[in-house]
Amino acid sequence: MTPPIVKSYIIAFEKYKWIGLASFALVVAASTVVAVQPEPPASYIANAALTYNRPPVSFSATGSEIQQQGQELNEQVLLSDQLIEVVSAKVNVKPKTIGASVAISIPKKNPRTGQLDSTIIELKYKDSNSKRAVEVLQALMQAMVKLSGDINTGRLKAIILKINERVPQTKLELQAAERRLEQYDRRERPAILASENGSLLTAVTNSQTQQRQIKLTISGIDAQIRSLQDKLGLNVGQAYVSSALSADPILANLRSQIYQIESQIAVLRRDLRPEHPTMIQLQRQKQAAEELLQQRAAEVVGGGGTAAPLTGNVSNIRAQSNLDPARQELANQMVALQTQRETLQQQLAQQVREEARLRQVYSLIPNKQLERSRLEQEVALKKAIYDKMQAKLADAKTAEAETVTSLSIARPPTVLADTVKPKSMSVTLAVGGFMGLVIGGGVIFLLGSLEGTFKTREDIRESLKQREVARLGEIPLIPIDDLDQEAIPVIVSPDSPYLEFYEKFRSNMRRIGGKNLKVVLITSVSTSEGKTTSAYNLGIASARAGKRTLIIETDLRSPSGCSSLNVTPDPDANIEPLRYYASLSECIRLVPDVENLYILPSPGPLRQSAAILESSEMRRLMEDVRERYDLVILDTSPLSLSNDPLLIQPYSDAMIIVARPNYTQQNLLGEAIDQLVESELGLLGAVINGADIIVTLPASVEPLPASSPQEQSEAEVSVGAKNS
């Protein structure tokens, strides 16, 4: 069995064989031109080598790094355009010539060790002049050595310049960090130190001890005050007033005067009436003395009587100012104790506030320590960066004395003649012929692939399988009689071996469609795919099976092809097509050579095909034939030409698509199937027409001359859309 790719290539070869032969001829001609070319002139190759070197003694890490980097020169650097231009000006050779003639081999790194496999750089230069080859290669090596030294020096200067640019800023950042730490220490360091050495906790403990002592002292003073109050019968305020009033000599004198006046009034009251002038005079003296007593008492107490509780009653003032020296001493002692108590209360409140302040300071110590630690780390980091930069700068300046080129000449140029084996004309022509065959065959295969059509039935079969569309049958090509090239190939003879394929097609259609399948619509994607041939022969196979079968040509845009079945169409049908379809006795014809087969020829070509397909006459016709016949086959126009198949589809029970290798477009078939499936238009399956199947004819039947796919296509196209 021939593989599908071979079949595709054979089909493409029949179409594009002249293009392939032209490609073959062009390649052979080109190889012939190459074969007859004269031998090139003798040439010379100059060989030399460079090696990586290091200074004998290295005192700086920067110098070692630069020398290490100098051993990583690549071909783009060593053969840069600038270097080649410098050498070109020196040796008077074009830069393009130098770039094309020089070859360099750079040692590679070992992926395991990371070291170079070798320290030798091989250089080769090819020229027709041996002396010039040596001169150019020598100049190239000198330029590369100088370039290596310039690169190392440039790297070192760039490092020094970059460090010098960063040092001032780094120094300023270090100084700023130190100032922040210094200011913080001035402000918070004493508290942190006090917390660290325990003096802060000691101060809190001392404050608590002093508070307890003060509270004990106050308790003792309160006991003394209560004892004195019990003895005197006075509180502290009253004792203060009584002591002050009793100690004043003026108040004592006034009190004495008042006593004397009262004594006189008491003596004279027996003999004199109150209205007596003497009595009035004594009352006035007493009143004046009492007023003076009140004024003096207010002066003694102080503050207008607000400093101590002083009543305005003269008798109360006289009672409060009559303390004897012993009681007065007790009152003074009580006042002194009260003053001491108030002083201790103030000291206690001060100690409480001091303890709260110390506790607040102690609670903030961890945050202060963290902040100071952060400032210290910042200073340490800035200082480390600054010190490292200073060390790097010193190391780089030290490296200035030891930085040299990383390359040196290991082997001076030597010249060898380039011996070229003379080319063989026969070998060149043989290679050209082989390449011509490959290229010519490739062009044919490429052009065949770019057509976008299915080349073999296997390709169509795979496409249907991917879209889950049933394959109803595969029909081989039917030979065409040379005497009637315009006829559609139909199977009239019951002994034809091709009838078996259409019988399989019919049985598969019945099996998949079921018993209710009566009206089948057959269409294709485009023309020349054999849908009319499939419709006619399917009708013949159904009639041979004893089914009353009717073929309706609903492709109204093309003329009828019923003459292939020996049926003559009505020449006047296109005048009044609706009247033509309205009379079944006039439009339906019996096929004379096949029993049970009827055909309704198309009145086409018609312009208003869509209006006729959607008319009520067509609807009544389809309803009538559905009742009269066992199978109705609708032969419609291709889907890519019009929407007529979709207009007649509602009258059908299922749709069948006909595809043909080398004619059906892959993208059109895929789009048509996807649209029919998505719209749920009842796609039953597909038929592969024109398949390359070998048919064995019976010995008694003389075979007709078989036609190739191209010849059958030309015959079908010649009869118009009836052969579509």
Side-chain angles (χ1 to χ4, degrees):
M1 183 176 180
T2 307
I5 188 171
V6 176
K7 297 178 182 178
S8 302
Y9 184 78
I10 293 174
I11 296 172
F13 181 78
E14 292 180 359
K15 288 186 176 182
Y16 304 109
K17 56 187 175 182
W18 297 112
I19 298 177
L21 291 175
S23 302
F24 172 77
L26 287 175
V27 175
V28 172
S31 64
T32 304
V33 172
V34 173
V36 299
Q37 290 292 325
E39 296 292 338
S43 60
Y44 299 91
I45 297 179
N47 294 322
L50 295 174
T51 183
Y52 291 118
N53 61 352
R54 292 186 179 183
V57 180
S58 180
F59 297 98
S60 63
T62 304
S64 300
E65 292 176 0
I66 291 176
Q67 291 294 333
Q68 184 66 30
Q69 294 174 1
Q71 297 184 9
E72 298 177 357
L73 299 176
N74 53 29
E75 184 176 351
Q76 288 76 14
V77 175
L78 294 177
L79 293 179
S80 61
D81 294 339
Q82 295 82 358
L83 185 140
I84 292 178
E85 288 178 359
V86 172
V87 175
S88 174
K90 185 176 180 180
V91 298
N92 196 18
V93 179
K94 293 182 179 180
K96 291 184 179 179
T97 303
I98 297 176
S101 302
V102 68
I104 187 170
S105 176
I106 305 294
K108 297 181 179 180
K109 280 187 176 182
N110 190 326
R112 295 182 179 179
T113 62
Q115 301 295 329
L116 295 175
D117 294 336
S118 175
T119 60
I120 301 299
I121 301 176
E122 296 287 345
L123 295 170
K124 292 183 179 181
Y125 184 79
K126 186 176 182 180
D127 201 328
S128 58
N129 189 328
S130 60
K131 183 177 180 181
R132 185 170 55 199
V134 173
E135 182 181 358
V136 173
L137 192 56
Q138 184 70 30
L140 280 171
M141 295 172 66
Q142 293 176 356
M144 291 178 183
V145 171
K146 184 176 182 302
L147 176 64
S148 175
D150 294 341
I151 291 175
N152 292 343
T153 303
R155 288 173 176 170
L156 182 60
K157 290 182 178 179
I159 293 174
I160 295 174
L161 179 61
K162 198 66 177 179
I163 294 175
N164 287 329
E165 290 177 355
R166 292 293 306 276
V167 164
Q169 180 64 26
T170 305
K171 185 176 181 180
L172 292 177
E173 293 176 357
L174 174 60
Q175 293 175 351
E178 290 175 345
R179 283 196 298 272
R180 287 193 294 271
L181 179 60
E182 181 182 359
Q183 293 173 359
Y184 190 83
D185 283 344
R186 290 179 180 177
R187 185 175 62 256
E188 306 293 345
R189 186 62 174 170
I192 296 175
L193 291 176
S195 174
E196 292 175 351
N197 57 23
S199 58
L200 187 60
L201 290 176
T202 303
V204 173
T205 304
N206 293 337
S207 176
Q208 293 175 347
T209 302
Q210 292 179 6
Q211 292 177 33
R212 288 193 295 270
Q213 293 177 354
I214 293 174
K215 289 179 181 179
L216 292 174
T217 305
I218 292 175
S219 299
I221 293 175
D222 289 340
Q224 295 179 10
I225 291 176
R226 285 193 298 272
S227 176
L228 293 175
Q229 287 178 351
D230 294 340
K231 293 178 180 179
L232 293 176
L234 300 175
N235 56 26
V236 176
Q238 293 174 349
Y240 167 73
V241 173
S242 298
S243 175
L245 295 178
S246 299
D248 186 61
I250 297 176
L251 289 176
N253 188 20
L254 290 174
R255 288 177 67 250
S256 176
Q257 292 179 7
I258 291 172
Y259 281 130
Q260 291 178 1
I261 294 172
E262 287 177 349
S263 300
Q264 293 178 5
I265 291 173
V267 172
L268 295 177
R269 184 180 294 152
R270 299 175 181 177
D271 299 330
L272 299 177
R273 292 180 297 176
E275 294 84 3
H276 191 272
T278 302
M279 294 294 288
I280 293 173
Q281 181 68 26
L282 291 174
Q283 288 291 340
R284 289 178 178 176
Q285 290 179 358
K286 179 181 178 182
Q287 184 177 2
E290 290 177 350
E291 291 178 357
L292 291 175
L293 180 65
Q294 289 180 350
Q295 292 178 0
R296 182 59 182 173
E299 291 176 357
V300 171
V301 174
T306 60
L310 179 65
T311 61
N313 193 352
V314 176
S315 59
N316 291 335
I317 295 174
R318 291 174 60 186
Q320 292 176 355
S321 59
N322 60 353
L323 295 178
D324 56 78
R327 291 173 59 84
Q328 185 177 355
E329 183 178 356
L330 293 176
N332 291 336
Q333 186 178 357
M334 183 185 298
V335 172
L337 290 173
Q338 180 64 27
T339 302
Q340 184 179 359
R341 184 180 186 281
E342 291 176 354
T343 301
L344 291 175
Q345 287 284 356
Q346 292 180 0
Q347 291 179 359
L348 179 61
Q350 181 66 26
Q351 289 295 330
V352 171
R353 289 193 296 270
E354 180 66 17
E355 181 186 359
R357 185 188 69 81
L358 293 175
R359 290 183 178 277
Q360 179 68 22
V361 171
Y362 188 78
S363 65
L364 296 177
I365 291 301
N367 293 335
K368 293 180 180 180
Q369 289 176 338
L370 289 176
E371 179 65 17
R372 189 178 188 284
S373 177
R374 186 188 65 80
L375 293 175
E376 285 183 341
Q377 292 177 359
E378 182 180 2
V379 171
L381 178 61
K382 299 294 183 182
K383 182 172 178 54
I385 294 175
Y386 179 75
D387 294 342
K388 190 172 183 180
M389 293 180 69
Q390 291 290 339
K392 187 68 175 178
L393 181 61
D395 187 75
K397 290 182 178 180
T398 304
E400 287 181 335
E402 60 186 36
T403 300
V404 295
T405 179
S406 297
L407 294 177
S408 62
I409 299 176
R411 187 175 68 247
T414 58
V415 179
L416 297 175
D418 186 16
T419 57
V420 179
K421 184 179 180 180
K423 59 186 175 183
S424 175
M425 182 176 294
S426 60
V427 174
T428 304
L429 293 177
V431 173
F434 176 75
M435 294 300 297
L437 290 175
V438 173
I439 294 175
V443 169
I444 293 174
F445 185 79
L446 179 61
L447 292 176
S449 302
L450 294 177
E451 285 184 349
T453 60
F454 293 105
K455 297 301 179 184
T456 62
R457 58 173 174 168
E458 288 80 2
D459 297 337
I460 302 178
R461 187 186 303 167
E462 183 64 25
S463 179
L464 296 177
K465 183 178 179 181
Q466 290 178 357
R467 288 176 170 79
E468 298 181 354
V469 177
R471 177 167 48 88
L472 302 178
E474 297 182 359
I475 312 300
L477 290 174
I478 301 176
I480 300 176
D481 191 355
D482 292 338
L483 300 177
D484 191 6
Q485 290 289 336
E486 295 184 357
I488 297 175
V490 294
I491 309 170
V492 179
S493 173
D495 298 328
S496 174
Y498 296 98
L499 183 61
E500 179 184 354
F501 295 96
Y502 284 97
E503 177 59 29
K504 290 182 180 179
F505 173 23
R506 186 194 68 82
S507 62
N508 289 333
M509 180 185 69
R510 281 294 182 186
R511 179 176 55 83
I512 298 176
K515 297 180 179 180
N516 297 326
L517 180 65
K518 296 193 68 175
V519 182
V520 178
L521 187 149
I522 297 181
T523 184
S524 62
V525 177
S526 57
T527 59
S528 303
E529 295 179 7
K531 65 175 184 60
T532 303
T533 302
S534 300
Y536 281 11
N537 291 319
L538 176 62
I540 293 173
S542 177
R544 295 289 186 193
K547 305 295 182 180
R548 285 175 54 84
T549 306
L550 173 64
I551 301 173
I552 302 179
E553 293 183 334
T554 58
D555 186 0
L556 305 183
R557 299 175 184 270
S558 303
S560 174
C562 63
S563 59
S564 300
L565 296 173
N566 296 326
V567 176
T568 302
D570 187 356
D572 299 329
N574 58 355
I575 297 176
E576 294 183 8
L578 295 179
R579 182 178 179 183
Y580 171 74
Y581 282 115
S583 177
L584 293 180
S585 60
E586 295 181 3
C587 61
I588 296 179
R589 307 295 176 87
L590 175 65
V591 178
D593 298 332
V594 182
E595 186 180 359
N596 293 327
L597 181 61
Y598 300 84
I599 186 170
L600 199 161
S602 168
L606 300 175
R607 293 183 178 179
Q608 303 294 332
S609 62
I612 296 172
L613 293 175
E614 293 180 327
S615 64
S616 59
E617 287 79 4
M618 181 61 70
R619 177 177 56 80
R620 286 193 293 270
L621 169 67
M622 297 304 300
E623 292 175 354
D624 196 355
V625 299
R626 179 181 286 273
E627 299 296 331
R628 291 189 180 189
Y629 296 93
D630 298 327
L631 178 64
V632 179
I633 301 173
L634 305 179
D635 178 24
T636 65
S637 60
L639 292 170
S640 61
L641 298 182
S642 65
N643 281 335
D644 291 353
L646 301 181
L647 297 178
I648 199 68
Q649 183 272 336
Y651 301 117
S652 66
D653 298 327
M655 292 183 65
I656 297 175
I657 289 183
V658 179
R660 183 178 179 182
N662 211 33
Y663 288 90
T664 303
Q665 297 287 331
Q666 298 179 8
N667 56 346
L668 293 181
L669 179 63
E671 292 176 1
I673 292 176
D674 293 341
Q675 182 179 3
L676 294 176
V677 173
E678 183 178 356
S679 302
E680 298 181 355
L681 297 180
L683 178 62
L684 183 63
V687 177
I688 303 176
N689 185 38
D692 52 344
I693 301 175
I694 299 176
V695 180
T696 304
L697 298 177
S700 61
V701 179
E702 183 180 354
L704 295 173
S707 60
S708 65
Q710 189 70 19
E711 293 173 348
Q712 183 171 348
S713 173
E714 293 173 356
E716 290 184 351
V717 173
S718 64
V719 298
K722 69 180 180 179
N723 309 322
S724 61

